[in-house]
C-alpha cells in the first residue's frame, strides 16, 4: 500500500531536518508542496519523538516560525560526558555506541554551550583518513 501524501511530506520534512537544515512554512511549500508544516512538525515531535525547536522570526512586520532539529538532551549529555572523560569522538563511535545519526548537530550544540570542540584529521597506517573530535579543557 502506498504512503499517503501527508506521510510522504512528513518523511521529506524529517529528512530535511535530519540533514541539519532549518525550515520555514514558505520553504516547505516551495520544496515539498507542504502547506501544513505545523501539522507535520506536530507529528514529528509527538509520533516520531524528535526534539524540534521553533524560532519566531519577524521581518518587515511579517511573523513566521523557523523550525530546526535539536539533539536529544539525554543523548547529548551522554556524548558530552564521554568526551569530557578524555575520549575521542568519531562518526563510527557516535553511530555504533550512541546510535547518533547526526553528530554534527550534537557537536554544534556543545559548541553553543561554550565547549571548545577540536577536530583533527587522522590517517592510520592502513585504511582511510577519518576525523576525531575532542573537548579542549
Amino acid at each position: 500500500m502506498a504512503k499517503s501524501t501527508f506521510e510522504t511530506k512528513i518523511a521529506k520534512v524529517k529528512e530535511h531536518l535530519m540533514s541539519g537544515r532549518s525550515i520555514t512554512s514558505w520553504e516547505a511549500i516551495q520544496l515539498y508542496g507542504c502547506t501544513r508544516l505545523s501539522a507535520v512538525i506536530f507529528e514529528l515531535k509527538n509520533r516520531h519523538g524528535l526534539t524540534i525547536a521553533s524560532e519566531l522570526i519577524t521581518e518587515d512586520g511579517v511573523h513566521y516560525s523557523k523550525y530546526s532539529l535539536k539533539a536529544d538532551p539525554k543523548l547529548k549529555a551522554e556524548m558530552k560526558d564521554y568526551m569530557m572523560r578524555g575520549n575521542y569522538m568519531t562518526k563510527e563511535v557516535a553511530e555504533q555506541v550512541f546510535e547518533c545519526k547526526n553528530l554534527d548537530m550534537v557537536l554544534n550544540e556543545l559548541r553553543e554551550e561554550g565547549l571548545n570542540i577540536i577536530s583533527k584529521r587522522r590517517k592510520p597506517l592502513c585504511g582511510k583518513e577519518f576525523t576525531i573530535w575532542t573537548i579542549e579543557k
Side-chain angles (χ1 to χ4, degrees):
M1 185 169 153
K3 282 186 180 181
S4 74
T5 303
F6 187 63
E7 289 173 344
T8 301
K9 289 174 183 173
I10 290 170
K12 288 179 179 180
V13 171
K14 180 178 180 179
E15 183 179 327
H16 181 99
L17 293 170
M18 294 293 285
S19 74
R21 297 178 289 167
S22 61
I23 193 163
T24 65
S25 290
W26 183 243
E27 291 167 335
I29 291 167
Q30 290 181 312
L31 295 170
Y32 310 116
C34 177
T35 57
R36 298 182 57 229
L37 181 60
S38 61
V40 169
I41 296 298
F42 179 86
E43 291 291 317
L44 290 174
K45 285 180 175 180
N46 295 292
R47 296 207 180 169
H48 294 254
L50 297 181
T51 304
I52 300 174
S54 173
E55 178 185 0
L56 184 61
I57 308 288
T58 303
E59 287 181 354
D60 300 323
V62 176
H63 307 287
Y64 60 94
S65 291
K66 181 196 279 189
Y67 300 97
S68 58
L69 189 62
K70 292 295 186 189
D72 175 84
K74 183 179 177 191
L75 173 67
K76 184 171 71 171
E78 290 172 356
M79 293 175 76
K80 176 182 175 180
D81 180 59
Y82 176 84
M83 292 174 70
M84 291 296 286
R85 288 184 276 133
N87 297 306
Y88 296 116
M89 182 62 67
T90 66
K91 285 196 183 272
E92 290 76 20
V93 169
E95 291 172 2
Q96 294 171 10
V97 176
F98 296 99
E99 298 179 6
C100 175
K101 303 282 189 246
N102 201 332
L103 176 60
D104 293 333
M105 177 180 52
V106 172
L107 293 172
N108 286 336
E109 288 186 27
L110 291 174
R111 285 183 186 104
E112 288 172 7
E113 290 180 10
L115 294 174
N116 190 11
I117 308 287
I118 306 295
S119 65
K120 299 175 185 172
R121 301 286 291 166
R122 295 283 190 248
K123 185 166 184 169
L125 294 174
C126 56
K128 67 179 192 173
E129 193 172 278
F130 63 98
T131 303
I132 63 171
W133 290 270
T134 59
I135 294 176
E136 186 178 83
K137 296 177 184 179

